[in-house]
Amino acid sequence: MFASNLPTVTAADVPADAYLLDVREADEWAAGHAPDAHHLPMMEVPARMAEIPSDADVVVVCRSGGRSGQVVGYLMNNGWDNVRNLDGGMRQWAAAGRPLESEDGQPARVI
C-alpha cells in the first residue's frame, strides 16, 4: 500500500474524541506529545496490536508522517478500517497550535 492511498487527517481536523496513537520513540514522546495521546513505539505495534481500538477513530502520528503512514498501512492490511495518518505529523500538530506536553521537565517541543 502506498502512502498516497492512505486515509489522512490534518491536525486541525483531528476529532476531539479520536484515539491518538503516537508511534515515535521514547525520547521524542518525552520531548512533546499531544496531551491525550497513547504512546506505542512503531516497532512494538505488531506485538501490541490488541491495544489499538478497532471500533473507534484512530489517528496515528509520528514526527512528520512517514512512520505513522507505515503503521496505518500495516494496520489496514491487518483488518483495521478505522485508522488515519496525521498529515505532517507532530510538526504540523505544533504548527497548527494544537496542545503539547512534555515528560522531561523541559518546555514541550517536537524533536
Side-chain angles (χ1 to χ4, degrees):
M1 179 168 291
F2 298 102
S4 61
N5 295 336
L6 294 175
T8 62
V9 63
T10 65
D13 292 330
V14 173
D17 61 347
Y19 184 95
L20 203 58
L21 181 65
D22 192 320
V23 297
R24 297 175 300 151
E25 295 301 316
D27 60 330
E28 295 174 288
W29 167 264
H33 58 85
D36 295 322
H38 303 268
H39 187 221
L40 179 55
M42 178 180 175
M43 292 304 160
E44 295 179 26
V45 168
R48 297 174 58 188
M49 287 173 55
E51 298 175 32
I52 303 169
S54 58
D55 59 351
D57 191 18
V58 176
V59 176
V60 186
V61 60
C62 66
R63 183 177 60 235
S64 61
R67 287 172 286 175
S68 53
Q70 292 177 41
V71 171
V72 167
Y74 180 80
L75 291 170
M76 290 178 72
N77 287 335
N78 282 279
W80 272 256
D81 60 2
N82 59 318
V83 292
R84 293 185 284 171
N85 191 23
L86 180 61
D87 189 33
M90 286 305 295
R91 287 180 174 164
Q92 285 303 313
W93 179 271
R98 299 296 300 258
L100 281 176
E101 62 184 32
S102 69
E103 303 289 329
D104 63 4
Q106 301 294 318
R109 65 219 181 273
V110 177
I111 61 169

